[in-house]
Amino acid sequence: MHRIISIATLCCLAATAQAADVHLLTAARIHTSDPARPHVEAMAWDDSGRVLAVGEAKALRAQYPDAARIDAGDATVIPGLIDAHGHLMGLGYALMQADLVGARDKAEVVARLREYEKSLPDDAWLLGNGWDQNDWPDESFPTAADLDAAFPDRPVWLDRVDGHAGWANSAAMKVVEEAMTGRTLAGDWQPDGGRILREDGEATGVFVDGAMDLVGKVLPEPDEAYRARALERALAAAAKDGLTGVHDMGVSARDLALYKRFADAGKLTLRIDAYANGDGQALANLCTDGLYRHPGGRVEMRGVKLYIDGALGSRGAALLADYSDEAGNRGLLVTDPETYEGIVRKARGCGVQVATHAIGDRGNRIVIDTYERVLGDDAKDDLRWRVEHAQIVSPEDIPRFAPLGVIASMQPTHATSDMPWAEERLGKERLSGAYAWQRFLHSGAHLALGSDFPVESPDPRLGLYAAVTRQDRDGQPPGGWLPDQRLSAAEALRGFTADAAYAGFDEKRVGKLAPGMRADFVILAEDPLAVPASRLDDLVIESTWVDGKPVYEAGKSATP
Ligand SMILES: [Zn+2]
């Protein structure tokens, strides 16, 4: 049996004895991700959370005879998991809302909303997410009327499970119409990049993609207290899932200020590499004040997140040829290429790392062409620009990443979420460059892995599972989808540790367990490199540690 020293014990040992300045962890195996010394059984770190040594248990006990000992028994220790692409405040907001995932019919949705409503002030909107009409007996889209009887006055707005549609009640649509000038939701007009569902010319209550902004624009701004609670929930969720770091894509100056406050107060249990939200205030601050790093090392901002195209599900990804299931449609660019290049040049001038969302093969080509032009001879300077998603890339463009030092930042669960319909959208031939993890690895590019939470679950175990199996959680399809692109468990783990750290310029601090590195690690009941791939999604996380201190321990509730 393993035993984990409690936080209380750590604190008191440290308070009473000099000897506790060193902590010594032993376990059946420690995977260090350090090629120089990949497998050890003991690790020592100091009170500041810096790893002092890794090696054999006996040798380290002799070297640090007075260390506070932590014996993890049969457990396996891995470096802390890093999600190279997530949205932390988005996760927090989602966790603050009514959870509709798995609701089996509309009645269950309404029942969950009524229960959740009890926690709300009288004048608040009722927000929820996670509904999926495909799970209901009647698979047609719901309508405002389905919500109106239970919620005649309070505005209700519910995101669909994929985030690409929202469902409003009549009270919410009334607020939207009050904010509109010259027209109503009725008629036959449609907003850019979106669709208002209508029946006999009247809006039914469902808004798709770009049309969701009509409601988004009138939602009340969350106040700071609400935002702080949302962040606390997101941090607790991340720690519970074994995450010690996240690359937070699209962070406003206001969000960064909140993270700094949490870091100052010692409440930031996650290492955040924040990427500024486009050409806004946060990027302007980087250009005037320089790259940002909190003295405690838990928050930094040295990059910017840009967008070139939309998403594949809603046919917004920019393709070089027509969508296979919609002639004449090649998707859309959300930033015009000239404007985009201007922002990239500005970032280059400020020494800021560029990370661009590109999903379609046209979107990816524009980004790589732009990077090549802007970087020129600087491409050799280790700038580590990134392509976020790199989902459908022309096979000719894949080998262009490595020579430019460009990182492919990909999300294994996107592949398994999209596999049921990706071939319809793309046809067979284009799939050769779709979610092509092995092709990127073979080309010599760095492959950083993540989840894109809250679009997908933040749980990196699901990412490891999807990366190694390319199957859904029921094991479908047999053998995996486009199985030649599967990763080995070791490659997948590297994508969530050392290579994610590299993508954030953090490889000298995290992603590996070696002397001088931060003691960020996860204790697992079983060895992810030894269990059958089919069980990677339910590995038991016993505890999560950041800077040598536990931020999550199974059985102990930490959620505020
Ligand atoms: Zn994202």
Side-chain angles (χ1 to χ4, degrees), residues 495-520:
F496 277 103
T497 56
D499 279 354
Y502 176 86
F505 288 94
D506 296 326
E507 75 279 10
K508 294 206 171 71
R509 300 188 298 140
V510 295
K512 271 184 237 173
L513 297 170
M517 306 288 286
R518 307 309 303 170
D520 290 6

Side-chain angles (χ1 to χ4, degrees), residues 85 87 305 389 452:
H85 184 124
H87 305 276
K305 160 82 181 303
H389 311 308
D452 203 8

Side-chain angles (χ1 to χ4, degrees), residues 368 379 397-407 440 442-446:
I368 285 292
D397 289 334
I398 290 178
R400 299 174 63 199
F401 280 56
L404 292 170
V406 171
I407 292 160
F440 276 107
H442 281 136
S443 76
H446 284 266

Side-chain angles (χ1 to χ4, degrees), residues 85-87 247 249-250 305 307 357 388-389 411 414 451-455:
H85 184 124
H87 305 276
H247 297 180
M249 289 292 153
K305 160 82 181 303
Y307 281 86
H357 164 117
E388 302 304 315
H389 311 308
Q411 299 74 36
H414 278 339
S451 69
D452 203 8
F453 67 71
V455 178

